[in-house]
Amino acid sequence: MGSLSIVTNAAVTRALVGREEDVLDRVRTTYLRHADGRTVNPDSYFLRFPDKPDSRIIALPAFLDGEHAVAGIKWIASFPANVSQGRQRASALLVLNDYDTGYPVAVLESAVISAARTAASAALAVRVLAKREPSTVGVIGAGYIARTVCGYLDATGAPLRQAICHDTDERSAEALVRHLNGSGHGGRAEPGSLDQALDADLVVFATTALAPYVPATHVFRADQLVLNLSLRDLAPEIVLRANNVVDDVEHCLKAGTTPHLAEELHGSRDFVNGTLAEVILGQTELDPSRPIVFSPFGLGVLDLAVGQQVLAWAVAAGQALDIPDFFGDQIRWHPDDAA
């Protein structure tokens, strides 16, 4: 009674190895449950710093209903300056709470979980939205998220026959190229310019951009699918010329994202075709003469769903560290007190 499970980065990583399809399926199921009103996903809260405008720590509280209902919160920091110091940009924790009592039951290192749910969401979007199997993939931004997305694409049926990797830091692009060429996926990766990456059949944005830099004059082909994972790379005029699919309309159209800027420019939200869940359910139609842009804001319920499964896998493998009596005695009144 009163114990807390700790799942470290190493344990989370081991739990996720080879389970890309399982994670993708869990993300798909969670999107559908969210569309069915079986989740609570409040606004994310951004903690920002006056002297570090590019840095933030975000709180994502959420609740996922169902047979194994769970509540929790992800606390994720993004400090881009870490990269120049040889550190990962993001770090995160996920706290899972028991729905019956409210007590926290587990704390998981969550940068890996966050990357996995983002990558699974991207891979699911390709499976659902791509008009044909992409022959070329342009990866813009070459950090950990990009690496994880590429791994999930390859493992779930979108083979990386030719990947063009671009980053403003050439060393990062070269590192991603080396990683992909050494991962045994069977394709070929090479560094390339921004224009070369933008011309790929599948374009993946995974940057830390704070404002659009792809100009309004850029035109995507009708057969292209754009995964707008980092949300702020494209000029709003670009998405106004495309089919737009999001994970959640209310969440995505805020905080200066490209869809948010497009709403301000356009004066309404009618340029949004629908959510990925609605596409899966056949509830929305896309214009075949336009490219498709998928913009996922990132839902806390996805972290809960994947984190809950990772915890189960880690416990089954004996990889979760149990701290007994972390909360002490949870009994409010003892028999002796009534005497």
Side-chain angles (χ1 to χ4, degrees):
M1 179 176 287
S3 66
L4 183 75
S5 294
I6 304 293
V7 187
T8 66
N9 174 280
V12 170
T13 301
R14 281 193 288 268
L16 288 169
V17 170
R19 287 184 162 127
E20 291 87 355
E21 279 288 353
D22 293 328
V23 176
L24 185 150
D25 184 64
R26 198 160 182 87
V27 165
R28 181 183 186 279
T29 299
T30 304
Y31 274 141
L32 296 178
R33 290 167 72 179
H34 182 65
D36 196 37
R38 299 175 63 193
T39 67
V40 180
N41 202 103
D43 286 345
S44 303
Y45 184 83
F46 287 69
L47 176 62
R48 299 187 184 275
F49 311 95
D51 60 341
K52 292 185 176 184
D54 64 337
S55 300
R56 62 191 185 272
I57 307 179
I58 312 172
L60 288 81
F63 166 68
L64 185 60
D65 199 2
E67 182 180 356
H68 303 290
V70 62
I73 188 167
K74 180 172 74 170
W75 181 239
I76 181 165
S78 175
F79 279 55
N82 285 352
V83 175
S84 63
Q85 301 169 17
R87 296 190 183 98
Q88 292 287 358
R89 172 188 60 85
S91 58
L93 294 175
L94 177 66
V95 179
L96 299 181
N97 294 69
D98 178 72
Y99 182 51
D100 291 330
T101 67
Y103 275 85
V105 295
V107 175
L108 300 91
E109 194 282 333
S110 196
V112 177
I113 292 172
S114 186
R117 63 87 152 147
T118 300
S121 174
L124 176 63
V126 174
R127 184 171 290 181
V128 172
L129 299 174
K131 299 176 182 179
R132 57 184 175 84
E133 187 176 279
S135 297
T136 56
V137 179
V139 184
I140 301 168
Y144 182 67
I145 295 294
R147 179 184 301 187
T148 308
V149 169
C150 288
Y152 268 72
L153 290 174
D154 185 56
T156 58
L160 302 173
R161 293 192 182 91
Q162 182 181 0
I164 300 103
C165 304
H166 174 78
D167 197 294
T168 53
D169 178 1
E170 292 183 2
R171 294 177 302 173
S172 294
E174 291 167 357
L176 180 59
V177 166
R178 287 194 300 271
H179 169 77
L180 294 178
N181 286 335
S183 65
H185 63 79
R188 178 67 186 171
E190 59 187 25
S193 67
L194 176 61
D195 286 342
Q196 287 173 318
L198 289 172
D199 192 51
D201 297 334
L202 172 64
V203 180
V204 180
F205 285 100
T207 75
T208 58
L210 298 176
Y213 57 89
V214 179
T217 54
H218 183 81
V219 178
F220 286 110
R221 301 187 310 273
D223 64 342
Q224 286 182 280
L225 171 60
V226 180
L227 302 182
N228 186 28
L229 306 182
S230 41
L231 292 172
R232 295 171 178 86
D233 304 82
L234 299 170
E237 292 87 350
I238 296 174
V239 302
L240 291 175
R241 295 192 295 266
N243 291 292
N244 285 278
V245 179
V246 300
D247 54 358
D248 181 284
V249 176
E250 290 297 326
H251 282 79
C252 192
L253 273 68
K254 62 180 59 173
T257 65
T258 291
H260 184 202
L261 298 179
E263 178 188 21
E264 294 179 335
L265 179 65
H266 186 59
S268 77
R269 297 180 170 184
D270 63 8
F271 67 92
V272 178
N273 297 76
T275 66
L276 188 62
E278 289 171 337
V279 176
I280 292 171
L281 294 169
Q283 296 174 351
T284 189
E285 293 185 4
L286 304 178
D287 183 345
S289 69
R290 291 186 167 204
I292 301 172
V293 177
F294 174 57
S295 301
F297 193 78
L299 302 178
V301 289
L302 298 182
D303 296 282
L304 286 190
V306 176
Q308 187 181 45
Q309 185 60 69
V310 167
L311 175 62
W313 286 331
V315 169
Q319 295 291 319
L321 174 64
D322 185 64
I323 303 178
D325 299 321
F326 182 87
F327 292 102
D329 193 343
Q330 297 180 40
I331 303 301
R332 183 174 183 181
W333 301 113
H334 290 273
D336 294 343
D337 295 328

